[in-house]
């Protein structure tokens, strides 16, 4: 159950980087189907399978949310940094610049 939750958390984070929030519904359905399949193949009880479904569903949604936060935070961080070309304090004045070959 822990590895399924971990994989679901990572999958949610990856989905957040590429897709809008509408992808969560089909992704959650896929996670539920995979969880039911794993519960049947491992001969787990009904309650254990339901617990795995809930944990995996919550994990994929939390992963998506955390992925959105990371994407938003990185976007703000990159937007707040200025590029090396935007600093006008170190630029030379073009009127005082003389070309050597013109002298």
């Amino acid at each position: 159950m822990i590895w399924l939750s971990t994989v679901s958390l990572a999958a949610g984070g990856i989905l957040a980087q590429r897709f809008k929030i509408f992808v969560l519904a089909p992704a959650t359905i896929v996670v539920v189907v995979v969880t039911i399949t794993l519960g049947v193949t491992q001969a787990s009880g009904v309650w254990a399978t339901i617990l795995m479904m809930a944990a995996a569903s919550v994990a994929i949604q939390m992963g998506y949310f955390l992925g959105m936060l990371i994407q938003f935070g990185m976007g703000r961080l990159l937007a707040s940094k200025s590029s090396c070309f935007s600093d006008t304090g170190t630029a030379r004045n073009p009127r005082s610049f003389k070309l050597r070959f013109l002298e």
Side-chain angles (χ1 to χ4, degrees):
M1 183 165 82
I2 292 174
W3 69 268
L4 181 63
S5 297
T6 304
V7 169
S8 297
L9 188 72
I14 292 170
L15 288 174
Q17 300 300 316
R18 293 285 179 191
F19 299 104
K20 301 263 186 217
I21 198 162
F22 298 116
V23 78
L24 273 180
T28 303
I29 291 171
V30 168
V31 165
V32 166
V33 169
V34 167
T35 306
I36 290 172
T37 305
L38 287 174
V40 169
T41 57
Q42 292 179 354
S44 299
V46 174
W47 291 112
T49 304
I50 290 173
L51 181 63
M52 282 194 316
M53 283 181 359
S57 297
V58 168
I60 196 166
Q61 293 174 15
M62 283 180 56
Y64 188 89
F65 180 70
L66 291 174
M68 280 185 2
L69 286 178
I70 290 170
Q71 186 177 15
F72 178 73
M74 291 299 290
R76 287 195 77 153
L77 179 69
L78 292 175
S80 69
K81 289 189 175 201
S82 61
S83 69
C84 62
F85 298 113
S86 66
D87 188 17
T88 57
T90 59
R92 292 184 181 179
N93 187 356
R95 288 185 215 135
S96 66
F97 184 68
K98 295 181 182 177
L99 295 175
R100 290 200 142 207
F101 62 88
L102 291 177
E103 291 181 345

